[in-house]
Amino acid sequence: MNTKMVGILFAAANETKLNELTIHRTTASLPFAGRYRLIDFALSSLVNSGVTRIGIITRNNYSSLMDHIRMGRDWDLNRKNGGISVFPPFVLNTSREVYKGKIEALYTVLDYLKKAPEDYVCMANCNVAANIKVDDILDEHIKRDADITILCHKASVNSSKRVLITKNDDGLVTDLSASEIPSDKEHLVSLNIYIAKKDFLIAKVEQSYARGYVEFEKDILFKEVENGKIYAHELEGHAAIIDDVKTYYNESMKVLDMSVREELFGSLRKIYTKVKDSVPTMYMNDAKVKNSLIADGCVINGTVENSILFRSVRIEEGAVVRNSIIMENGIVMRGGKISYTITDKQVVIGAGRQISGSETYPIVIVKNKIV
Amino acid sequence: MRVKKECVAMLLAGGQGTRLGALTQKIAKPAVPFGGKYRIIDFTLSNTINSGIDTIGILTQYQPFDLNQYIGNGQPWDLDRLEGGAFVLPPYQKAKSGEWYKGTANAIYQNIDFVDRYDADYVLILSGDHIYKMDYSKMLEAHIAKGAACTIAVLNVPISEASRFGIMNAKEDGEIYEFEEKPKHPKSTKASMGIYIFTWAKLKEYLIADEADKNSHNDFGKNIIPNMLGAGEKMYTYDFKGYWKDVGTISSLWEANMDLLDSGSGLDLDDPDWKIYARNMAEPPHYVGDNAIIRNSVVTEGCEIDGEVVNSVIFRGAVVERGTVIHDSIIMPDAVIRAGAKIEHSIVGWSATVSEGAKIGKKQAQADAGEWKIAVVAPESTIKAGSVVDAGEMVGEEGK
């Protein structure tokens, strides 16, 4: 374990493409895999890597995030030294202006970074669900004397903007480019998780901010490639980038695969989340459940197949749920049938109602809706 | 002087629980898992904080390590308070002497200073081995209103079972005139639940006198209560209505778990106004496979289920492989049930492994003279492939 690194998490990323799912929340607090919020993966990975000082930079709709994080106790981050700090999105105390890009966002927390005794920074977007041994990657970063290490994995590009990486056998980045053209071909794609030398990062942010630059990737990272100290680390384990409804659905369904669950949850490096003290799930006499992930607190008396039920969901007699995701406190009443549907928190599907989306275009039902 | 606490709770958690056999070889009875994600002690701890009492001494003696670790700083029960909170109180060496807790009363006697430190007016004595939900604040109100020296919570039991309990014979207004421990011919059906509220100044007098009596068992039921009654103290019953079960035996522990599956049993844990808290183990949701059949059962986080589970309680992190049959059984945390095993009317201890094709226990239509013949597999033991464990048999940690 080391305490050489401070964490900076960007709570907001690509909200616009998650549409209905982020009307009421920031990406970081998007529910995932039955009982988690996306930020739990980044927080837990850092905590399990010995990082005890983590700043979270918010952007919009962050009340759900504040409610989730509280004092950070559920991640063992209620500490006298370090712990969790949540930063509001305003550039300056005197202005109401929200930061534009990551450079401005980092500029708002420069004092925090300077005061932190750690020599390295791990900064990450919260839209990645992975259980990452960041401490191992830091060791590699130090050994290489890198300025920045980019965490990446092999993936095909969807319509969201991704940074594509070309590296040599030593991991040295030789070229970076941005792409948002969907393709089936696999590339080495950035996870938008970086390890950087703290002093290097602070200096670059100060210089770039003074010149009015806003985008970290374009204005710092791309330019630094020629200096030859930007490295890439390719993750071997499972990593899910979630940036639109389709990837949210697909990546959720992958968790039904045992090997993916094993990678996310199988080690002693646990994924922590807010404790809610739900009771265990009750299966009634007419429950028929196959290939599904079920959180605590549910009461099931219907059919559930290839689906994910979050905490305290009720499936009544004769209801059928297939290939769907039902978030916390959802109810499918007697005889209701849904397939390829994502219901947000507290959605009620009335008796006998039928809703079906398709695998390529799952239907999203917004929070608190009664159908 | 600390901040004054009107009422301090003292939880007797030192009992070995010998009747639970293999389950309490390494941990104290209050630490035994219950109901999928709980420990037995969670019920009294949750009742205490839900009743507005935030200072609780937990008296441990037998195998305290696991229980100490579980309780920690009391945070899962909101008992990590600036003033008060949860305190584990093992016996300790004093200036002149040091000794084990000789009995329930002696355990409180040895911690008189703890109660005094909070300047408590009343002390609530609890046991760590009962499953129930109870608002102690109402009992305290009744105690204060009657100006009692002692109030004893009682439960109406069937007259046929009354001779198994300590029976309180009381007048209509609840004033106790006689206490009979396990009477052959019970005169009333008001059974003591082992929950007492004492006016602390009074109890202290009797504890000190009891300690001076060399012939005393230093026990609440055997000594303190009869002595107080004999001296004419004002003692009242407090009627409790609701689910309550002493889970001191394998059969009763099994029954109480089964009561979770029966909506008519009165044991409902899913009550937002009276949550039962437990230390959380950060497990993912449970996964149900393509071959699973789960009916009338409770399944907890972290499980992987691919077999047949009927009328059973599956605890956190248990693995049930394809082709297994589990009926009317309790599978405790992190147990692994391998393919083709058959388990009926059994308790499989935590982290035990039941190998392929093993047969544990036998189906029973009814209890025999009040006792079910529950097969028990010890925690952390291994049952070899094809082994047979009979109904009522208890397999120790050496496995079979």
Side-chain angles (χ1 to χ4, degrees):
Chain A
M1 285 288 180
N2 64 78
T3 50
K4 290 178 264 184
M5 188 158 57
V6 52
I8 294 287
L9 300 179
F10 298 98
N14 302 46
E15 252 86 356
T16 48
K17 287 186 180 159
L18 278 158
N19 301 334
E20 300 94 325
L21 290 174
T22 47
I23 291 174
H24 298 284
R25 58 173 76 89
T26 182
T27 311
S29 51
L30 183 63
F32 186 72
R35 69 172 296 199
Y36 304 96
R37 306 287 189 136
L38 277 181
I39 196 173
D40 294 337
F41 292 87
L43 281 177
S44 302
S45 293
L46 288 173
V47 166
N48 290 331
S49 299
V51 178
T52 55
R53 185 186 309 274
I54 299 175
I56 301 171
I57 303 178
T58 58
R59 181 142 186 179
N60 42 13
N61 288 332
Y62 56 90
S63 66
S64 69
L65 181 66
M66 299 289 279
D67 176 57
H68 182 68
I69 302 288
R70 296 184 294 200
M71 303 300 289
R73 185 167 62 196
D74 293 318
W75 298 266
D76 206 16
L77 285 168
N78 52 334
R79 288 164 186 266
K80 281 199 166 174
N81 293 309
I84 283 218
S85 306
V86 179
F87 297 102
F90 307 113
V91 182
L92 295 164
N93 279 340
T94 49
S95 78
R96 301 244 118 211
E97 203 177 329
V98 171
Y99 69 81
K100 289 194 203 76
K102 266 186 197 163
I103 290 175
E104 279 194 0
L106 286 167
Y107 189 78
T108 64
V109 299
L110 275 188
D111 278 349
Y112 173 80
L113 282 178
K114 284 175 182 169
K115 275 185 203 148
E118 291 86 353
D119 293 328
Y120 298 91
V121 184
C122 177
M123 54 178 192
N125 285 0
C126 286
N127 65 335
V128 178
N131 194 338
I132 303 172
K133 291 180 177 167
V134 190
D135 46 348
D136 290 353
I137 304 169
L138 175 64
D139 289 345
E140 183 190 79
H141 176 87
I142 294 170
K143 208 181 290 169
R144 286 168 167 173
D145 191 32
D147 284 336
I148 296 175
T149 297
I150 309 170
L151 275 64
C152 56
H153 72 159
K154 279 218 174 70
S156 49
V157 177
N158 64 3
S159 60
S160 298
K161 194 168 178 180
R162 293 279 163 78
V163 172
L164 307 184
I165 297 167
T166 312
K167 66 175 176 73
N168 69 18
D169 290 345
D170 297 328
L172 185 72
V173 173
T174 53
D175 190 31
L176 292 175
S177 61
S179 167
E180 46 195 317
I181 302 158
S183 146
D184 290 335
K185 211 177 133 209
E186 285 207 329
H187 289 277
L188 206 48
V189 177
S190 165
L191 291 163
N192 293 324
I193 301 174
Y194 309 101
I195 292 174
K197 281 182 185 154
K198 192 179 81 177
D199 292 341
F200 173 83
L201 182 69
I202 289 170
K204 288 293 155 195
V205 168
E206 280 178 335
Q207 288 163 18
S208 307
Y209 182 77
R211 289 175 174 79
Y213 295 143
V214 288
E215 277 188 53
F216 173 79
E217 279 80 10
K218 191 176 114 208
D219 298 322
I220 294 179
L221 201 60
F222 283 25
K223 289 176 185 168
E224 282 299 318
V225 170
E226 62 186 38
N227 291 332
K229 290 185 90 174
I230 306 295
Y231 284 81
H233 176 95
E234 186 182 342
L235 277 193
E236 285 155 14
H238 179 79
I241 302 184
I242 288 149
D243 48 17
D244 58 16
V245 172
K246 197 176 161 198
T247 55
Y248 175 78
Y249 180 82
N250 290 342
E251 293 298 343
S252 293
M253 289 304 161
K254 277 185 194 167
V255 183
L256 295 178
D257 185 337
M258 188 191 236
S259 64
V260 171
R261 280 201 310 283
E262 193 62 32
E263 295 221 17
L264 290 179
F265 309 115
S267 75
L268 288 174
R269 294 184 178 226
K270 302 243 183 195
I271 303 298
Y272 301 100
T273 189
K274 181 178 176 182
V275 171
K276 294 199 175 166
D277 299 291
S278 319
V279 297
T281 282
M282 178 73 202
Y283 288 80
M284 313 292 274
N285 273 325
D286 291 317
K288 291 186 191 71
V289 181
K290 307 265 179 228
N291 188 38
S292 293
L293 195 65
I294 317 278
D296 271 1
C298 297
V299 178
I300 304 176
N301 203 19
T303 299
V304 179
E305 287 174 12
N306 313 322
S307 294
I308 295 170
L309 307 189
F310 282 69
R311 284 184 272 208
S312 303
V313 165
R314 265 182 26 225
I315 308 296
E316 294 189 353
E317 193 183 335
V320 180
V321 175
R322 288 197 173 97
N323 306 302
S324 292
I325 298 167
I326 302 184
M327 291 187 196
E328 207 171 322
N329 295 322
I331 301 174
V332 183
M333 292 173 76
R334 204 171 274 267
K337 285 190 171 61
I338 66 170
S339 65
Y340 296 108
T341 299
I342 300 167
T343 69
D344 207 321
K345 291 170 79 171
Q346 280 103 239
V347 166
V348 179
I349 306 293
R353 291 290 171 149
Q354 300 203 9
I355 295 164
S356 41
S358 72
E359 190 168 1
T360 48
Y361 198 81
I363 288 175
V364 178
I365 300 175
V366 297
K367 193 172 164 181
N368 300 326
K369 187 106 178 166
I370 296 171
V371 180
Chain B
M1 183 62 73
R2 302 289 176 90
V3 169
K4 181 181 172 67
K5 301 282 181 184
E6 184 187 32
C7 181
V8 164
M10 298 293 270
L11 197 159
L12 300 161
Q16 183 177 356
T18 45
R19 290 174 301 165
L20 290 180
L23 296 179
T24 48
Q25 277 301 302
K26 288 185 180 159
I27 63 170
K29 182 158 67 167
V32 167
F34 181 85
K37 69 187 299 187
Y38 307 94
R39 308 279 195 122
I40 294 170
I41 198 173
D42 287 330
F43 289 80
T44 30
L45 290 178
S46 302
N47 287 341
T48 303
I49 192 72
N50 288 340
S51 301
I53 297 167
D54 66 3
T55 304
I56 180 165
I58 299 149
L59 300 137
T60 61
Q61 174 155 290
Y62 173 78
Q63 293 282 19
F65 179 68
D66 186 77
L67 194 57
N68 288 359
Q69 191 186 28
Y70 185 70
I71 292 165
N73 67 350
Q75 181 270 317
W77 305 270
D78 227 359
L79 285 166
D80 53 336
R81 305 268 56 90
L82 275 182
E83 294 285 350
F87 295 86
V88 175
L89 304 171
Y92 60 97
Q93 198 75 28
K94 288 120 193 133
K96 287 185 185 146
S97 65
E99 57 185 352
W100 295 104
Y101 294 147
K102 290 180 285 181
T104 51
N106 177 256
I108 307 298
Y109 171 82
Q110 290 200 37
N111 288 287
I112 284 176
D113 286 351
F114 173 79
V115 182
D116 277 344
R117 181 173 294 203
Y118 292 101
D119 193 21
D121 297 327
Y122 307 99
V123 59
L124 166 68
I125 309 288
L126 300 166
S127 301
D129 47 9
H130 298 156
I131 302 296
Y132 65 114
K133 296 192 294 183
M134 178 173 176
D135 188 346
Y136 306 131
S137 69
K138 295 206 171 111
M139 182 175 168
L140 181 60
E141 273 170 31
H143 178 85
I144 295 169
K146 289 190 165 152
C150 171
T151 301
I152 299 174
V154 293
L155 183 77
N156 252 324
V157 294
I159 189 85
S160 58
E161 289 180 29
S163 35
R164 288 172 40 218
F165 293 92
I167 295 296
M168 299 292 159
N169 299 319
K171 297 181 205 161
E172 247 175 46
D173 68 347
E175 187 171 356
I176 302 166
Y177 61 87
E178 191 183 23
F179 166 61
E180 293 181 289
E181 182 67 33
K182 298 183 181 159
K184 280 210 177 96
H185 304 288
K187 291 178 210 145
S188 105
T189 55
K190 286 182 188 287
S192 167
M193 298 160 67
I195 299 163
Y196 315 110
I197 290 177
F198 291 96
T199 298
W200 176 234
K202 277 276 179 225
L203 178 62
K204 214 159 108 177
E205 276 174 37
Y206 282 89
L207 287 176
I208 292 165
D210 178 67
E211 189 62 18
D213 177 2
K214 292 276 175 287
N215 297 319
S216 174
H217 291 93
N218 308 115
D219 184 85
F220 276 100
K222 287 184 189 132
N223 307 103
I224 302 290
I225 305 292
N227 289 350
M228 287 180 82
L229 258 182
E233 297 290 354
K234 279 175 84 177
M235 301 173 77
Y236 287 88
T237 56
Y238 174 82
D239 287 310
F240 171 78
K241 289 182 186 69
Y243 185 92
W244 178 86
K245 202 166 185 87
D246 181 333
V247 286
T249 65
I250 292 292
S251 178
S252 63
L253 178 66
W254 178 86
E255 275 181 354
N257 275 282
M258 291 301 129
D259 285 339
L260 288 171
L261 309 177
D262 174 6
S263 55
S265 72
L267 178 58
D268 174 21
L269 305 185
D270 196 4
D271 177 356
D273 296 328
W274 203 269
K275 275 196 178 183
I276 304 300
Y277 302 103
R279 186 169 287 279
N280 190 278
M281 302 305 284
E283 299 267 13
H286 70 264
Y287 174 77
V288 180
D290 280 330
N291 307 294
I293 297 167
I294 311 176
R295 278 189 286 122
N296 195 42
S297 293
V298 159
V299 181
T300 315
E301 284 163 351
C303 293
E304 299 265 335
I305 312 280
D306 206 21
E308 179 180 316
V309 175
V310 179
N311 303 329
S312 294
V313 178
I314 315 293
F315 287 61
R316 172 188 64 72
V319 176
V320 176
E321 290 185 355
R322 182 178 178 172
T324 54
V325 175
I326 298 174
H327 285 197
D328 308 292
S329 292
I330 298 167
I331 310 296
M332 287 190 169
D334 299 319
V336 178
I337 316 300
R338 298 272 180 228
K342 186 171 187 185
I343 300 176
E344 295 174 311
H345 279 80
S346 297
I347 297 177
V348 176
W350 55 94
S351 304
T353 303
V354 175
S355 306
E356 288 80 356
K359 288 197 166 35
I360 319 281
K362 277 201 184 69
K363 198 155 191 77
Q364 288 153 56
Q366 58 192 39
D368 179 14
E371 293 283 311
W372 297 88
K373 288 194 172 56
I374 303 300
V376 177
V377 174
E380 296 165 0
S381 68
T382 300
I383 303 297
K384 294 197 186 84
S387 285
V388 176
V389 176
D390 278 339
E393 187 179 342
M394 188 174 290
V395 178
E397 58 182 331
E398 67 286 355
K400 182 166 182 177

